[in-house]
Amino acid sequence: MYRSHNCGELNASHINQEVTLAGWVQKSRDKGFMNWVDLRDRYGITQLIFDESRTDKTVFELAKTLGREFVIQVKGTVIEREAKNNNIPTGAIEILVTELTILNAALTPPFTIEDETDGGEDIRMKYRYLDIRRNPVKNSLLFRHKVAMEVRKYLSDLDFCEVETPYLIKSTPEGARDFVVPSRMNEGQFYALPQSPQTFKQLLMVGGMDKYFQIVKCFRDEDLRADRQPEFTQIDCEMAFVEQEDILNVFEGLTRHLLKKLKGIEVDKFPRMTYEHAMKTYGNDKPDIRFGMEFGELNAYAQHKEFPVFNAAELVVGIAVPGAGNYTRKEIDALIDWVKRPQVGASGMVYVKCNEDGTFKSSVDKFYDQEDLSNWAKTTGAKPGDMLFVLSGPADKTRAQLSALRMELATRLGLRNPAEFAPLWVVDFPLLEFDEESGRYHAMHHPFTSPKPEDLHLLETNPGKVRANAYDMVLNGNEIGGGSIRIHDKATQQLMFKYLGFTEEEAKAQFGFLMDAFQFGAPPHGGLAFGLDRLVAILGGQETIRDFIAFPKNNSGRDVMIDAPSRIDDSQLNELHIQLNSK
């Protein structure tokens, strides 16, 4: 056998035992007459000792040839370590080596395999298999495994059944571009990779499966950010004979379970917040409620004065920044430059210092008196010692800009503690949103989302006011999951397709199979999908998901390790009946 123990389990109770270990050379320290080697595997590090006076000469000399990341096997005796290391579980012992076998020599790695590495992201992505040897990445992948196992256990205990759905499916419009796969056996026709298993999980409810889940790969051909990948993993769920409250209760329970089991944290409250309130109060539909800085709308106190910028604005809105009243002019100017960046897009920003003596000092003192500024402070909840920042302009755009500033300030002030968890539900989303480019309404979530029954009559007269029977779970300012009660009858689904601009023929071509199924006794049903990658990252105290994915893509959707995507052979193109256009 290659090993009798792993490199993380030996301790003082094993002293005088003969053992066999195998792993990678983390580092070696050659003192001439004595050589120490740290041997590493997934489980930890064990120190090896090669002693000129006690080790066979051939073994001793071979040990001097070991380089970083050599794969070796050793046999030897567990002995007490003189200079103990209390920072690792094996720090009380070392192995006096009697036999050494080099299983595989290694080139010098392009970056150090240490927790704090000298390798940049690009080089680590290219050599991802080396990066996985580092504790931060290794531990992230092990943590992901634990989360997935707890999810499976929790849902299985509630009688959910895991069912696999196909990866080669029909292309359907669900809000993002599909990845398409040509069919060799069906000339000129294409599969699509699923953006989600949406229609299949609904069909499983028609099939009577009652409670379905799947930890499943999904694919979306969209522009990427640090928290997006072209392929990602969902905890996908669907339930029959349920209303919204049933689904929220199940997934509150799952979230509580994960926080308790994996983080030792008990969360009592899962607040409910309407989409409208979230947008007005925080400027986005996934607010971070670990801290305040709620929006205060100032139109009533800021307009109809002599300041033309505010008078011309659809919205004047501000936030109170706690304890920032001592910001210098240089710091304020830097923040003004920050909001004027193209990524944020504000044209400027007004500030008000709330002095400790109850007076105010503003960049617009020329236009507003102390009473005006006092009203601004009351509206935003500003206290003495705080700073008030105010933006103005078109309502939606200005709220988005102030939301970005709020999050940036919270980060700078240390208010976004990754060890603190504040979940909430955002509910009552609009069913439809108007797209200026196409000149028609699109489904905010997807075309199978049920409208609120009490709003159904508004589809004819005011479609933008129809609320969806939809909900998102937000955790620490990140949407970790969302879902809805689904449409389960053909007539309502046809009506929905009509208002989304589908002709009857287009709806039948795209979704005829689903509407046909609804005619055979579809139960009321609904569901939810958590983004596993994002959920794991947040539970792991991180904002980005890459370190929790074994082999992620870069921002261009490329796997630089295997160099994909890449061109394929002309013979393969011919088999698929595909001809590439030359540029």
Side-chain angles (χ1 to χ4, degrees):
M1 60 183 177
Y2 279 108
R3 55 189 179 184
S4 60
H5 299 78
N6 65 53
C7 291
E9 68 178 299
L10 296 173
N11 54 50
S13 69
H14 298 92
I15 287 174
N16 295 325
Q17 286 189 25
E18 298 292 319
V19 296
T20 303
L21 300 181
W24 289 264
V25 173
Q26 176 75 17
K27 59 185 176 182
S28 61
R29 300 175 298 282
D30 187 351
K31 299 298 183 182
F33 61 92
M34 198 88 75
N35 192 6
W36 288 274
V37 171
D38 288 344
L39 187 67
R40 182 194 73 241
D41 64 9
R42 174 187 135 184
Y43 307 95
I45 288 178
T46 298
Q47 181 169 283
L48 313 178
I49 181 170
F50 300 84
D51 184 343
E52 189 175 41
S53 64
R54 294 181 288 175
T55 303
D56 178 84
K57 184 177 180 181
T58 303
V59 173
F60 186 79
E61 292 302 320
L62 185 60
K64 290 179 176 292
T65 69
L66 297 178
R68 281 179 177 265
E69 302 307 310
F70 274 42
V71 185
I72 64 172
Q73 180 193 46
V74 297
K75 295 182 181 179
T77 305
V78 181
I79 62 174
E80 185 176 3
R81 187 165 162 176
E82 287 188 17
K84 293 181 173 56
N85 181 353
N86 295 323
N87 296 319
I88 58 174
T90 61
I93 59 92
E94 58 191 0
I95 310 301
L96 179 61
V97 177
T98 56
E99 295 182 35
L100 167 63
T101 304
I102 297 176
L103 300 173
N104 209 337
L107 298 174
T108 302
F111 54 88
T112 54
I113 314 298
E114 302 277 0
D115 291 2
E116 298 295 330
T117 182
D118 56 358
E121 187 173 8
D122 290 344
I123 194 73
R124 289 188 291 110
M125 289 274 279
K126 183 175 180 180
Y127 296 95
R128 182 63 168 181
Y129 45 85
L130 297 180
D131 203 26
I132 290 172
R133 295 179 190 174
R134 295 193 311 116
N135 284 326
V137 182
K138 176 200 73 177
N139 291 337
S140 293
L141 296 180
L142 292 173
F143 183 70
R144 180 190 178 107
H145 164 70
K146 290 178 182 177
V147 173
M149 292 298 290
E150 289 299 329
V151 167
R152 282 195 163 94
K153 182 178 183 301
Y154 182 87
L155 293 175
S156 298
D157 287 347
L158 291 178
D159 291 331
F160 280 80
C161 176
E162 186 164 15
V163 183
E164 292 184 8
T165 53
Y167 279 175
L168 296 176
I169 67 168
K170 182 183 181 70
S171 179
T172 57
E174 290 191 34
R177 294 184 191 88
D178 287 327
F179 282 102
V180 294
V181 181
S183 171
R184 179 183 59 80
M185 293 182 289
N186 299 275
E187 183 177 347
Q189 295 184 314
F190 295 80
Y191 300 104
L193 300 179
Q195 296 182 33
S196 78
Q198 182 62 45
T199 54
F200 287 99
K201 64 184 178 184
Q202 291 190 249
L203 291 171
L204 286 169
M205 296 303 102
V206 178
M209 288 307 296
D210 193 65
K211 291 180 180 179
Y212 140 94
F213 87 97
Q214 185 180 188
I215 297 181
V216 59
K217 280 285 186 189
C218 302
F219 307 85
R220 292 180 187 173
D221 187 6
E222 57 187 351
D223 294 338
L224 304 180
R225 301 194 300 259
D227 62 341
R228 281 186 182 170
Q229 288 280 298
E231 52 179 322
F232 57 96
T233 306
Q234 284 187 178
I235 306 165
D236 199 57
C237 303
E238 199 80 1
M239 303 164 66
F241 302 109
V242 291
E243 296 176 333
Q244 176 175 298
E245 199 64 25
D246 300 306
I247 296 170
L248 300 194
N249 286 337
V250 167
F251 293 98
E252 275 187 26
L254 173 59
T255 307
R256 289 181 204 274
H257 174 78
L258 293 174
L259 286 168
K260 173 73 173 175
K261 191 78 176 179
L262 298 167
K263 307 298 294 184
I265 293 171
E266 294 198 21
V267 176
D268 295 327
K269 295 180 181 178
F270 278 71
R272 310 281 173 89
M273 184 183 297
T274 65
Y275 171 85
E276 183 179 14
H277 180 77
M279 296 303 292
K280 287 191 71 172
T281 310
Y282 299 98
N284 67 68
D285 58 3
K286 46 182 187 297
D288 191 335
I289 59 171
R290 286 174 293 179
F291 55 94
M293 289 196 278
E294 296 180 357
F295 291 9
E297 297 191 0
L298 303 174
N299 291 47
Y301 302 111
Q303 292 183 325
H304 311 298
K305 302 286 182 177
E306 300 299 320
F307 190 47
V309 174
F310 284 176
N311 288 339
E314 181 183 2
L315 177 67
V316 183
V317 61
I319 54 172
V321 185
N326 59 358
Y327 275 19
T328 65
R329 185 55 194 263
K330 183 178 180 181
E331 289 174 307
I332 294 169
D333 287 345
L335 281 170
I336 292 172
D337 289 342
W338 190 90
V339 299
K340 290 168 75 172
R341 298 179 314 146
Q343 300 94 315
V344 181
S347 56
M349 185 167 69
V350 166
Y351 71 87
V352 180
K353 285 188 176 185
C354 304
N355 297 321
E356 294 289 354
D357 62 3
T359 62
F360 303 93
K361 176 63 180 170
S362 164
S363 55
V364 288
D365 281 340
K366 178 180 177 181
F367 305 101
Y368 298 96
D369 59 26
Q370 291 291 299
E371 184 180 353
D372 294 326
L373 300 179
S374 176
N375 286 326
W376 293 13
K378 289 174 186 173
T379 304
T380 57
K383 297 179 175 57
D386 292 350
M387 178 76 76
L388 186 59
F389 289 120
V390 183
L391 297 178
S392 64
D396 291 347
K397 185 177 178 182
T398 302
R399 287 192 180 106
Q401 292 164 351
L402 192 59
S403 174
L405 176 63
R406 175 180 180 268
M407 295 297 279
E408 174 67 16
L409 286 166
T411 300
R412 294 186 185 192
L413 293 168
L415 301 178
R416 304 186 66 204
N417 179 5
E420 180 186 351
F421 296 92
L424 79 151
W425 289 106
V426 177
V427 298
D428 293 352
F429 284 83
L431 181 71
L432 306 169
E433 54 186 347
F434 191 76
D435 180 60
E436 298 286 350
E437 192 172 320
S438 63
R440 64 187 180 92
Y441 282 98
H442 292 268
M444 179 170 268
H445 284 77
H446 54 62
F448 317 108
T449 299
S450 173
K452 292 271 188 181
E454 61 268 31
D455 290 356
L456 197 55
H457 67 283
L458 293 172
L459 275 172
E460 283 285 358
T461 57
N462 197 351
K465 289 293 184 182
V466 179
R467 293 170 300 160
N469 213 333
Y471 34 82
D472 281 357
M473 182 178 280
V474 176
L475 184 61
N476 294 2
N478 293 270
E479 176 200 332
I480 59 167
S484 65
I485 298 298
R486 322 300 187 190
I487 296 169
H488 69 278
D489 65 282
K490 183 176 181 179
T492 306
Q493 189 64 72
Q494 284 178 319
L495 187 66
M496 183 67 170
F497 286 142
K498 172 188 170 184
Y499 285 105
L500 290 173
F502 287 81
T503 66
E504 193 172 328
E505 292 75 22
E506 287 171 337
K508 184 171 179 59
Q510 293 276 3
F511 301 108
F513 65 93
L514 184 63
M515 290 190 288
D516 288 347
F518 286 168
Q519 298 178 104
F520 289 94
H525 60 280
L528 179 144
F530 275 0
L532 179 65
D533 310 300
R534 191 169 300 170
L535 173 64
V536 171
I538 295 168
L539 291 176
Q542 303 294 323
E543 285 285 319
T544 56
I545 64 177
R546 281 185 185 159
D547 277 354
F548 296 87
I549 298 172
F551 300 103
K553 308 290 191 292
N554 68 12
N555 282 346
S556 300
R558 294 197 64 82
D559 186 327
V560 295
M561 181 184 66
I562 62 172
D563 191 26
S566 59
R567 294 188 176 275
I568 62 172
D569 229 52
D570 286 344
S571 60
Q572 287 177 279
L573 290 173
N574 291 336
E575 281 186 330
L576 296 168
H577 314 287
I578 290 176
Q579 184 174 349
L580 299 179
N581 290 329
S582 57
K583 291 185 178 180

